[in-house]
Amino acid sequence: MRPTLQDMADILNLSKSTVSRALSGDPRVAQATRARVESLAKSIGYTPNPIARGLATRRTNTIGLAVPCAPRSLSDPFYLEFLGHAGNAAMKCGYSLLLSAAEEDGADTHNAHVRLASSARIDGMILTEPKIKDERIAALKKAGIPFVFLGMTSDPDVSWVSCDNRLGAAEAVAWLTGLGHTRIACLTGPADQTASDARYRGYCEALDEAGIPLDLNIVASGDFTQAGGHAAMREILERGKTVSAVFASNDVMALGAMCALRESGLSVPEDVSLVGFDGIAFAQYSTPPLATVQQPIDELGNASVEVLIKLMCGDNGGPIHRVMPARFRPAGSVAAPGRAFVLESPD
Amino acid sequence: MRPTLQDMADILNLSKSTVSRALSGDPRVAQATRARVESLAKSIGYTPNPIARGLATRRTNTIGLAVPCAPRSLSDPFYLEFLGHAGNAAMKCGYSLLLSAAEEDGADTHNAHVRLASSARIDGMILTEPKIKDERIAALKKAGIPFVFLGMTSDPDVSWVSCDNRLGAAEAVAWLTGLGHTRIACLTGPADQTASDARYRGYCEALDEAGIPLDLNIVASGDFTQAGGHAAMREILERGKTVSAVFASNDVMALGAMCALRESGLSVPEDVSLVGFDGIAFAQYSTPPLATVQQPIDELGNASVEVLIKLMCGDNGGPIHRVMPARFRPAGSVAAPGRAFVLESPD
DNA sequence: TTGAAAGCGCTAACAT
DNA sequence: ATGTTAGCGCTTTCAA
């Protein structure tokens, strides 16, 4: 059996309190006593029980991380990279990371997030995929623990960390128009997520800037999964619409779209240029390498933890918002449009 | 404030015990009573405090996952993929996943693993990267919680789940010899890990099988990181040794080696064929796509959780060992050796 | 079928 | 500088 504080106290002829203080670095304890306590602890391998401590202090030194909602999953590449960075950052600060069990019923991930938040198992929580109207927020506020979103929220009173989705998307699409593309398809994310919305706005703005009218026939909605990207791309192709470029709202969908294009006998970038969003590690290894809007995933991970810790320490001067740049990164998947798409032939 | 069991009891004019029983499905409680309890719980949103429950029952419904030791990190692609699958599996079974904080001192990750194991915060633990002589094992046994390794352990008394590293490696190298390669370099993993050892043995066996003598001049040791693979490859090139193929003990090192080769003006696979191990998702997206030994990462994740749960349920008929196949997956990074390397020119 | 009481191992007033 | 005393919110004997 693990030795307990009581065991320590008994052996040393001290009270539990003194032992507890000695171990937690409380100044009001004699040097000699502290030394005895520490040495005994080391020799019998005593280490405080975090569960008991958690019950007494209502702090667990644990950060909860919300698991993505279906159809995305824990295995989503972007999420996983984020998880890695956030986890490293959290541990560097002495926090553990808890990935909560989903709802028994399976379906309602949102509910699981709220339950985790109000479970007393964590001191703070990091959430992803904010929705435009996110029912979790009210519940989270009621739960009373600090939380931070990866991605902007509509509610101005919520802390978040995000890249500039709109600007990043606009920059990417502007690059395409700059090359002479005028038929640029858009594969959007789920309509209810703020990120989808912002990226779509960036797309529209860049078209507008270039004087290209928005054509909803070449816009299709995906769900941020590879299968979704594949389906959305097929949908546009099956509408019989020709495009010279595609802006996918995330990299995973772009990779799905790449397959769909190939299946239709179109090659990237000769026939169709392709751009993604996120900058997941795969992107640079695909064939051809995927041009994408690079999010600073490591910094987002670090910042999420940093902001959350600030919040957990009660440094509460209102909500904290942190925007990081997302920069377009050209790569082999984009090229100037083929002859068929150039309005004014150069020769 | 969260309502407590006491609050429930007060409102219902029942004792805490009865409420507790009603909620945990204890049969000896009147139907009517149970109904009242459940309905109140729902209406005031009562949910038991898992920390308090954990203290009382000594069970937390949480699985600990050991974080990789430096120089690998939480961000290692193979680990992250494994984490994703194991996490999904765990949650499906109602368990949460805890990634523990590293040691304050930073260095000693092993110690952190042991501490997590004996922290009373988890019911069982999944560990990775077993060492040939793994000091954690004794400590883990003493901690008294069930644990399972991803990868074979030397200690036959420990449960583990692993692919067949030796056979997988041998199959890959045999493929190379089958193509006519005779100068096949090997980038090994850390010498103290069982996986490195098994893969290296597979390499040696395949050479032997083909009647090719082992040449230690074209073997270099890496550390399973991209930088390590890069360095190991450079080392061999700088020794002035020529090779027509390279077997890297994992994919990340293979990608590092690919860079090193390119930097030396060698192209893959025209000048040098390259094979990795793991089958991380990147592999198929690299240019050229990386031939690799595919581990069934999803099954490994599922099996780890499954075995651990079996262990946690006390289903203890000795240690459980589960071996899964690892199959060589050819891809663009391998080709027959160039003329210079063919002993007997075909024409 | 229900209740009372004693912990689980720790922290945190409040003494002394 | 140390000890005493209550809890933290739950489960679990043991009684009734």
Side-chain angles (χ1 to χ4, degrees), chain A residues 189-231:
Chain A
D192 58 350
Q193 284 186 218
T194 62
S196 313
D197 187 57
R199 292 174 197 176
Y200 181 60
R201 288 204 328 272
Y203 164 80
C204 294
E205 282 179 24
L207 289 188
D208 195 53
E209 193 78 21
I212 301 169
L214 178 63
D215 178 1
L216 290 179
N217 289 308
I218 54 173
V219 172
S221 62
D223 59 2
F224 281 157
T225 70
Q226 188 157 358
H230 188 275

Side-chain angles (χ1 to χ4, degrees), chain B residues 19-35:
Chain B
V19 179
S20 172
R21 286 185 196 114
L23 256 20
S24 56
D26 190 306
R28 44 184 205 181
V29 61
Q31 272 311 318
T33 314
R34 163 158 304 143

Side-chain angles (χ1 to χ4, degrees), chain B residues 20-178:
Chain B
S20 172
R21 286 185 196 114
L23 256 20
S24 56
D26 190 306
R28 44 184 205 181
V29 61
Q31 272 311 318
T33 314
R34 163 158 304 143
R36 289 175 58 215
V37 171
E38 284 175 346
S39 116
L40 178 64
K42 188 159 300 178
S43 82
I44 67 173
Y46 170 79
T47 134
N49 178 329
I51 297 287
R53 180 179 284 195
L55 186 57
T57 62
R58 287 111 178 291
R59 299 202 51 244
T60 59
N61 287 304
T62 302
I63 290 176
L65 184 55
V67 165
C69 303
R72 268 172 135 170
S73 81
L74 197 42
S75 303
D76 178 84
F78 174 76
Y79 178 80
L80 241 25
E81 284 189 40
F82 173 76
L83 160 57
H85 294 295
N88 284 328
M91 291 176 199
K92 208 162 288 170
C93 300
Y95 284 89
S96 302
L97 216 59
L98 185 66
L99 308 185
S100 82
E103 212 63 345
E104 300 74 36
D105 5 299
D108 202 347
T109 319
H110 272 201
N111 227 308
H113 296 166
V114 171
R115 295 243 307 234
L116 174 59
S118 43
S119 73
R121 293 204 294 175
I122 58 177
D123 297 339
M125 185 158 182
I126 298 175
L127 296 111
T128 59
E129 307 177 298
K131 306 273 183 294
I132 293 173
K133 298 198 142 253
D134 204 312
E135 338 83 64
R136 291 175 293 184
I137 293 181
L140 288 165
K141 285 179 175 171
K142 196 146 51 182
I145 67 165
F147 61 95
V148 61
F149 269 89
L150 171 64
M152 311 195 188
T153 58
S154 312
D155 186 334
D157 197 35
V158 167
S159 293
W160 51 256
V161 164
S162 174
C163 75
D164 193 328
N165 286 301
R166 191 188 51 73
L167 203 59
E171 198 182 321
V173 176
W175 182 280
L176 293 172
T177 62

